[in-house]
């Protein structure tokens, strides 16, 4: 599930960059108009905030689409519980019905990569 979400996020970011470049008259190839350092800094700061808001919205839509299993446009209690159960089962590596800190660390960082953050 985590790999699927990462792939979807990367595709969305690539699509957003391409769309922005087209709006600005570019080709999406990464070329940027020449500007001073201060202008670049301001643009990067604004883009970071805008990108974070856009990605948050995209993440929310993706999560909703995943949780709304029957596609009816709303999430029922059973759909939400199924979603939580899938996550829990993915984290509960040893299948004992309990999640400990090692399993959480392993799920988010991979085995043996606890210091990644």
């Amino acid at each position: 599930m985590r790999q699927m979400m990462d792939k979807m996020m990367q595709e969305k970011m690539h699509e957003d960059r391409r769309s922005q470049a087209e709006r600005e008259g570019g080709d999406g190839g990464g070329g940027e108009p020449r500007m001073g350092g201060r202008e670049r800094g301001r643009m990067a700061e604004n883009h970071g905030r805008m990108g974070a808001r856009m990605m948050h919205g995209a993440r929310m839509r993706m999560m909703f689409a995943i949780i709304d299993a029957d596609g009816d446009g709303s999430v029922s209690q059973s759909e939400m519980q199924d979603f939580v159960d899938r996550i829990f089962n993915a984290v509960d590596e040893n299948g004992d019905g309990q999640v400990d800190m090692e399993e959480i660390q392993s799920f988010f960082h991979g085995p043996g990569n606890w210091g990644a953050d």
Side-chain angles (χ1 to χ4, degrees):
M1 183 181 306
R2 181 177 46 205
Q3 291 170 341
M4 179 182 72
M5 291 298 292
D6 287 344
K7 184 174 176 13
M8 290 169 62
M9 294 303 298
Q10 288 173 358
E11 290 171 358
K12 177 65 176 156
M13 286 177 11
H14 181 70
E15 179 184 308
D16 288 346
R17 275 189 238 126
R18 187 176 41 229
S19 296
Q20 182 179 2
E22 290 170 359
R23 284 191 305 274
E24 294 172 355
D27 61 359
E32 292 186 18
R34 295 188 181 263
M35 61 182 73
R38 185 181 299 177
E39 291 169 319
R40 250 192 315 262
R42 248 185 270 133
M43 277 192 70
E45 183 179 319
N46 289 337
H47 178 72
R49 283 190 298 238
M50 181 178 69
R53 284 191 304 264
M54 288 186 335
M55 291 311 296
H56 176 71
R59 285 185 198 132
M60 294 299 290
R61 287 188 296 278
M62 285 188 282
M63 292 301 296
F64 189 87
I66 291 167
I67 297 169
D68 182 20
D70 62 9
D72 69 352
S74 64
V75 175
S76 68
Q77 184 175 2
S78 65
E79 287 172 320
M80 183 62 74
Q81 188 60 52
D82 290 344
F83 178 69
V84 170
D85 289 345
R86 288 194 311 258
I87 293 172
F88 185 88
N89 290 334
V91 176
D92 184 18
E93 292 177 347
N94 61 10
D96 67 354
Q98 297 180 342
V99 173
D100 60 31
M101 187 55 72
E102 288 182 28
E103 290 171 317
I104 292 172
Q105 292 286 348
S106 177
F107 180 78
F108 283 105
H109 301 291
N113 292 325
W114 291 12
D117 276 344

